[in-house]
mmCIF file of all heavy atoms in Angstrom:
data_model
loop_
_atom_site.group_PDB
_atom_site.id
_atom_site.type_symbol
_atom_site.label_atom_id
_atom_site.label_comp_id
_atom_site.label_asym_id
_atom_site.label_seq_id
_atom_site.Cartn_x
_atom_site.Cartn_y
_atom_site.Cartn_z
ATOM 1 N N ASN A 230 124.999 98.253 68.893
ATOM 2 C CA ASN A 230 125.433 97.854 70.226
ATOM 3 C C ASN A 230 125.000 98.856 71.277
ATOM 4 O O ASN A 230 124.722 98.457 72.404
ATOM 5 C CB ASN A 230 126.901 97.715 70.228
ATOM 6 C CG ASN A 230 127.418 96.482 69.418
ATOM 7 O OD1 ASN A 230 126.640 95.595 69.072
ATOM 8 N ND2 ASN A 230 128.697 96.524 69.000
ATOM 9 N N ALA A 231 125.028 100.126 70.946
ATOM 10 C CA ALA A 231 124.693 101.131 71.908
ATOM 11 C C ALA A 231 123.228 101.028 72.402
ATOM 12 O O ALA A 231 122.914 101.318 73.505
ATOM 13 C CB ALA A 231 124.991 102.551 71.322
ATOM 14 N N LYS A 232 122.394 100.588 71.498
ATOM 15 C CA LYS A 232 120.930 100.479 71.773
ATOM 16 C C LYS A 232 120.519 99.061 72.049
ATOM 17 O O LYS A 232 119.346 98.789 72.315
ATOM 18 C CB LYS A 232 120.162 100.954 70.648
ATOM 19 C CG LYS A 232 120.313 102.498 70.337
ATOM 20 C CD LYS A 232 119.456 103.002 69.223
ATOM 21 C CE LYS A 232 119.616 104.480 69.013
ATOM 22 N NZ LYS A 232 118.806 105.018 67.836
ATOM 23 N N ASN A 233 121.474 98.128 72.030
ATOM 24 C CA ASN A 233 121.195 96.654 72.201
ATOM 25 C C ASN A 233 120.030 96.176 71.292
ATOM 26 O O ASN A 233 119.115 95.513 71.699
ATOM 27 C CB ASN A 233 120.757 96.444 73.676
ATOM 28 C CG ASN A 233 121.938 96.549 74.643
ATOM 29 O OD1 ASN A 233 123.070 96.413 74.283
ATOM 30 N ND2 ASN A 233 121.635 96.861 75.895
ATOM 31 N N THR A 234 120.136 96.511 69.989
ATOM 32 C CA THR A 234 119.139 96.192 69.045
ATOM 33 C C THR A 234 119.850 95.398 67.830
ATOM 34 O O THR A 234 121.013 95.648 67.603
ATOM 35 C CB THR A 234 118.358 97.384 68.509
ATOM 36 O OG1 THR A 234 119.320 98.233 67.824
ATOM 37 C CG2 THR A 234 117.658 98.057 69.521
ATOM 38 N N VAL A 235 119.051 94.542 67.253
ATOM 39 C CA VAL A 235 119.506 93.850 66.075
ATOM 40 C C VAL A 235 118.386 93.909 64.987
ATOM 41 O O VAL A 235 117.194 93.923 65.416
ATOM 42 C CB VAL A 235 119.937 92.443 66.368
ATOM 43 C CG1 VAL A 235 118.704 91.618 66.874
ATOM 44 C CG2 VAL A 235 120.467 91.776 65.088
ATOM 45 N N SER A 236 118.699 94.084 63.746
ATOM 46 C CA SER A 236 117.736 94.200 62.683
ATOM 47 C C SER A 236 118.033 93.194 61.605
ATOM 48 O O SER A 236 119.126 92.733 61.388
ATOM 49 C CB SER A 236 117.637 95.601 62.107
ATOM 50 O OG SER A 236 117.259 96.551 63.070
ATOM 51 N N LEU A 237 116.992 92.806 60.875
ATOM 52 C CA LEU A 237 117.149 91.857 59.779
ATOM 53 C C LEU A 237 116.393 92.509 58.575
ATOM 54 O O LEU A 237 115.130 92.589 58.600
ATOM 55 C CB LEU A 237 116.536 90.479 60.068
ATOM 56 C CG LEU A 237 116.832 89.490 59.035
ATOM 57 C CD1 LEU A 237 118.295 89.080 58.881
ATOM 58 C CD2 LEU A 237 116.008 88.157 59.368
ATOM 59 N N GLN A 238 117.129 92.930 57.612
ATOM 60 C CA GLN A 238 116.536 93.445 56.345
ATOM 61 C C GLN A 238 116.398 92.251 55.405
ATOM 62 O O GLN A 238 117.329 91.641 54.993
ATOM 63 C CB GLN A 238 117.444 94.481 55.698
ATOM 64 C CG GLN A 238 116.937 95.053 54.395
ATOM 65 C CD GLN A 238 115.576 95.827 54.616
ATOM 66 O OE1 GLN A 238 115.511 96.600 55.474
ATOM 67 N NE2 GLN A 238 114.642 95.613 53.737
ATOM 68 N N MET A 239 115.108 91.999 55.017
ATOM 69 C CA MET A 239 114.813 90.877 54.208
ATOM 70 C C MET A 239 114.328 91.379 52.844
ATOM 71 O O MET A 239 113.332 91.991 52.752
ATOM 72 C CB MET A 239 113.775 89.969 54.871
ATOM 73 C CG MET A 239 114.090 89.550 56.293
ATOM 74 S SD MET A 239 112.935 88.301 56.960
ATOM 75 C CE MET A 239 111.569 89.451 57.181
ATOM 76 N N ASN A 240 115.092 91.133 51.858
ATOM 77 C CA ASN A 240 114.681 91.507 50.429
ATOM 78 C C ASN A 240 114.440 90.292 49.557
ATOM 79 O O ASN A 240 114.807 89.131 49.977
ATOM 80 C CB ASN A 240 115.788 92.344 49.808
ATOM 81 C CG ASN A 240 116.071 93.665 50.548
ATOM 82 O OD1 ASN A 240 115.081 94.200 51.109
ATOM 83 N ND2 ASN A 240 117.338 94.040 50.535
ATOM 84 N N SER A 241 113.776 90.514 48.489
ATOM 85 C CA SER A 241 113.477 89.419 47.556
ATOM 86 C C SER A 241 112.817 88.213 48.208
ATOM 87 O O SER A 241 113.286 87.085 48.088
ATOM 88 C CB SER A 241 114.718 88.996 46.832
ATOM 89 O OG SER A 241 115.299 90.177 46.069
ATOM 90 N N LEU A 242 111.859 88.476 49.022
ATOM 91 C CA LEU A 242 111.269 87.454 49.804
ATOM 92 C C LEU A 242 110.579 86.398 48.956
ATOM 93 O O LEU A 242 110.028 86.725 47.882
ATOM 94 C CB LEU A 242 110.272 87.984 50.808
ATOM 95 C CG LEU A 242 110.948 88.707 52.026
ATOM 96 C CD1 LEU A 242 109.869 89.704 52.717
ATOM 97 C CD2 LEU A 242 111.447 87.659 53.007
ATOM 98 N N LYS A 243 110.599 85.163 49.387
ATOM 99 C CA LYS A 243 110.096 83.963 48.747
ATOM 100 C C LYS A 243 109.019 83.319 49.554
ATOM 101 O O LYS A 243 109.141 83.419 50.854
ATOM 102 C CB LYS A 243 111.209 83.019 48.382
ATOM 103 C CG LYS A 243 112.328 83.567 47.552
ATOM 104 C CD LYS A 243 113.384 82.544 47.376
ATOM 105 C CE LYS A 243 114.553 83.092 46.534
ATOM 106 N NZ LYS A 243 115.556 82.036 46.350
ATOM 107 N N PRO A 244 108.150 82.610 49.047
ATOM 108 C CA PRO A 244 107.144 81.893 49.853
ATOM 109 C C PRO A 244 107.781 80.928 50.984
ATOM 110 O O PRO A 244 107.222 80.749 51.991
ATOM 111 C CB PRO A 244 106.286 81.134 48.880
ATOM 112 C CG PRO A 244 106.418 81.896 47.619
ATOM 113 C CD PRO A 244 107.778 82.473 47.547
ATOM 114 N N GLU A 245 108.922 80.441 50.554
ATOM 115 C CA GLU A 245 109.630 79.510 51.545
ATOM 116 C C GLU A 245 110.154 80.228 52.740
ATOM 117 O O GLU A 245 110.688 79.691 53.697
ATOM 118 C CB GLU A 245 110.639 78.713 50.826
ATOM 119 C CG GLU A 245 111.588 79.444 49.940
ATOM 120 C CD GLU A 245 111.168 79.433 48.493
ATOM 121 O OE1 GLU A 245 109.998 79.613 48.145
ATOM 122 O OE2 GLU A 245 112.010 79.252 47.654
ATOM 123 N N ASP A 246 110.156 81.567 52.666
ATOM 124 C CA ASP A 246 110.527 82.420 53.847
ATOM 125 C C ASP A 246 109.505 82.507 54.899
ATOM 126 O O ASP A 246 109.736 83.020 56.013
ATOM 127 C CB ASP A 246 111.036 83.763 53.420
ATOM 128 C CG ASP A 246 112.232 83.792 52.530
ATOM 129 O OD1 ASP A 246 113.181 82.989 52.849
ATOM 130 O OD2 ASP A 246 112.383 84.575 51.530
ATOM 131 N N THR A 247 108.256 82.071 54.598
ATOM 132 C CA THR A 247 107.189 82.100 55.483
ATOM 133 C C THR A 247 107.487 81.302 56.748
ATOM 134 O O THR A 247 107.831 80.144 56.637
ATOM 135 C CB THR A 247 105.919 81.588 54.834
ATOM 136 O OG1 THR A 247 105.567 82.427 53.759
ATOM 137 C CG2 THR A 247 104.761 81.616 55.911
ATOM 138 N N ALA A 248 107.400 81.998 57.935
ATOM 139 C CA ALA A 248 107.722 81.341 59.239
ATOM 140 C C ALA A 248 107.542 82.331 60.326
ATOM 141 O O ALA A 248 107.247 83.496 60.084
ATOM 142 C CB ALA A 248 109.232 80.920 59.168
ATOM 143 N N VAL A 249 107.672 81.822 61.512
ATOM 144 C CA VAL A 249 107.648 82.756 62.719
ATOM 145 C C VAL A 249 109.215 82.975 62.930
ATOM 146 O O VAL A 249 109.998 82.048 63.017
ATOM 147 C CB VAL A 249 107.066 82.094 63.934
ATOM 148 C CG1 VAL A 249 107.249 82.964 65.123
ATOM 149 C CG2 VAL A 249 105.610 81.776 63.609
ATOM 150 N N TYR A 250 109.595 84.208 63.001
ATOM 151 C CA TYR A 250 110.925 84.620 63.200
ATOM 152 C C TYR A 250 111.163 85.018 64.663
ATOM 153 O O TYR A 250 110.422 85.790 65.186
ATOM 154 C CB TYR A 250 111.248 85.805 62.338
ATOM 155 C CG TYR A 250 111.475 85.402 60.866
ATOM 156 C CD1 TYR A 250 110.415 84.991 60.056
ATOM 157 C CD2 TYR A 250 112.717 85.392 60.239
ATOM 158 C CE1 TYR A 250 110.572 84.584 58.783
ATOM 159 C CE2 TYR A 250 112.947 84.986 58.931
ATOM 160 C CZ TYR A 250 111.802 84.551 58.232
ATOM 161 O OH TYR A 250 111.982 84.196 56.881
ATOM 162 N N TYR A 251 112.172 84.485 65.220
ATOM 163 C CA TYR A 251 112.513 84.707 66.674
ATOM 164 C C TYR A 251 113.861 85.393 66.854
ATOM 165 O O TYR A 251 114.905 85.009 66.226
ATOM 166 C CB TYR A 251 112.582 83.377 67.393
ATOM 167 C CG TYR A 251 111.326 82.589 67.470
ATOM 168 C CD1 TYR A 251 111.031 81.650 66.407
ATOM 169 C CD2 TYR A 251 110.389 82.771 68.499
ATOM 170 C CE1 TYR A 251 109.850 80.886 66.448
ATOM 171 C CE2 TYR A 251 109.244 82.025 68.504
ATOM 172 C CZ TYR A 251 108.897 81.153 67.503
ATOM 173 O OH TYR A 251 107.814 80.390 67.493
ATOM 174 N N CYS A 252 113.864 86.401 67.655
ATOM 175 C CA CYS A 252 115.089 87.110 67.923
ATOM 176 C C CYS A 252 115.858 86.268 69.093
ATOM 177 O O CYS A 252 115.180 85.621 70.002
ATOM 178 C CB CYS A 252 114.782 88.433 68.518
ATOM 179 S SG CYS A 252 116.249 89.476 68.964
ATOM 180 N N ASN A 253 117.103 86.256 68.975
ATOM 181 C CA ASN A 253 117.920 85.441 69.967
ATOM 182 C C ASN A 253 119.134 86.344 70.448
ATOM 183 O O ASN A 253 119.641 87.175 69.664
ATOM 184 C CB ASN A 253 118.489 84.234 69.299
ATOM 185 C CG ASN A 253 119.610 83.537 70.082
ATOM 186 O OD1 ASN A 253 120.785 83.927 69.816
ATOM 187 N ND2 ASN A 253 119.285 82.638 70.963
ATOM 188 N N ALA A 254 119.491 86.143 71.682
ATOM 189 C CA ALA A 254 120.675 86.956 72.217
ATOM 190 C C ALA A 254 121.421 86.108 73.180
ATOM 191 O O ALA A 254 120.833 85.451 74.087
ATOM 192 C CB ALA A 254 120.195 88.185 72.918
ATOM 193 N N ASP A 255 122.774 85.980 73.019
ATOM 194 C CA ASP A 255 123.622 85.356 73.954
ATOM 195 C C ASP A 255 124.229 86.540 74.718
ATOM 196 O O ASP A 255 124.999 87.325 74.091
ATOM 197 C CB ASP A 255 124.666 84.537 73.206
ATOM 198 C CG ASP A 255 124.006 83.351 72.546
ATOM 199 O OD1 ASP A 255 123.113 82.762 73.143
ATOM 200 O OD2 ASP A 255 124.645 82.937 71.527
ATOM 201 N N LEU A 256 124.018 86.590 76.008
ATOM 202 C CA LEU A 256 124.537 87.823 76.731
ATOM 203 C C LEU A 256 125.009 87.415 78.145
ATOM 204 O O LEU A 256 124.702 86.345 78.650
ATOM 205 C CB LEU A 256 123.478 88.827 76.787
ATOM 206 C CG LEU A 256 122.133 88.506 77.392
ATOM 207 C CD1 LEU A 256 122.145 88.679 78.926
ATOM 208 C CD2 LEU A 256 121.022 89.407 76.795
ATOM 209 N N ARG A 257 125.685 88.309 78.770
ATOM 210 C CA ARG A 257 126.100 88.252 80.140
ATOM 211 C C ARG A 257 125.344 89.333 80.932
ATOM 212 O O ARG A 257 125.386 90.533 80.536
ATOM 213 C CB ARG A 257 127.664 88.476 80.238
ATOM 214 C CG ARG A 257 128.142 88.244 81.637
ATOM 215 C CD ARG A 257 129.679 88.464 81.784
ATOM 216 N NE ARG A 257 130.409 87.458 80.928
ATOM 217 C CZ ARG A 257 130.710 86.206 81.371
ATOM 218 N NH1 ARG A 257 130.350 85.905 82.616
ATOM 219 N NH2 ARG A 257 131.366 85.445 80.546
ATOM 220 N N SER A 258 124.624 88.925 81.967
ATOM 221 C CA SER A 258 123.894 89.762 82.771
ATOM 222 C C SER A 258 124.818 90.596 83.707
ATOM 223 O O SER A 258 126.054 90.304 83.830
ATOM 224 C CB SER A 258 122.905 89.083 83.578
ATOM 225 O OG SER A 258 123.515 88.315 84.648
ATOM 226 N N THR A 259 124.282 91.468 84.404
ATOM 227 C CA THR A 259 125.046 92.348 85.390
ATOM 228 C C THR A 259 125.455 91.458 86.579
ATOM 229 O O THR A 259 126.302 91.887 87.346
ATOM 230 C CB THR A 259 124.212 93.429 85.935
ATOM 231 O OG1 THR A 259 122.915 93.011 86.428
ATOM 232 C CG2 THR A 259 123.939 94.481 84.768
ATOM 233 N N LEU A 260 124.944 90.203 86.668
ATOM 234 C CA LEU A 260 125.460 89.258 87.639
ATOM 235 C C LEU A 260 126.493 88.357 87.080
ATOM 236 O O LEU A 260 126.943 87.418 87.751
ATOM 237 C CB LEU A 260 124.282 88.400 88.157
ATOM 238 C CG LEU A 260 123.191 89.173 88.944
ATOM 239 C CD1 LEU A 260 122.053 88.130 89.389
ATOM 240 C CD2 LEU A 260 123.707 89.789 90.200
#
């Protein structure tokens, strides 16, 4: 939270995991 980052550790990957991965954030701006 301090760095406003999120990570995804992916282990035991399978061929069906093949995709484009998108980061998403629901947030409130300074406005």
Side-chain angles (χ1 to χ4, degrees):
N230 292 338
K232 297 181 179 180
N233 291 333
T234 61
V235 64
S236 297
L237 184 69
Q238 180 66 45
M239 305 185 293
N240 298 325
S241 302
L242 284 162
K243 304 175 180 179
E245 49 263 44
D246 295 318
T247 297
V249 176
Y250 285 69
Y251 297 90
C252 180
N253 165 271
D255 294 324
L256 59 85
R257 185 179 295 275
S258 72
T259 54
L260 297 177

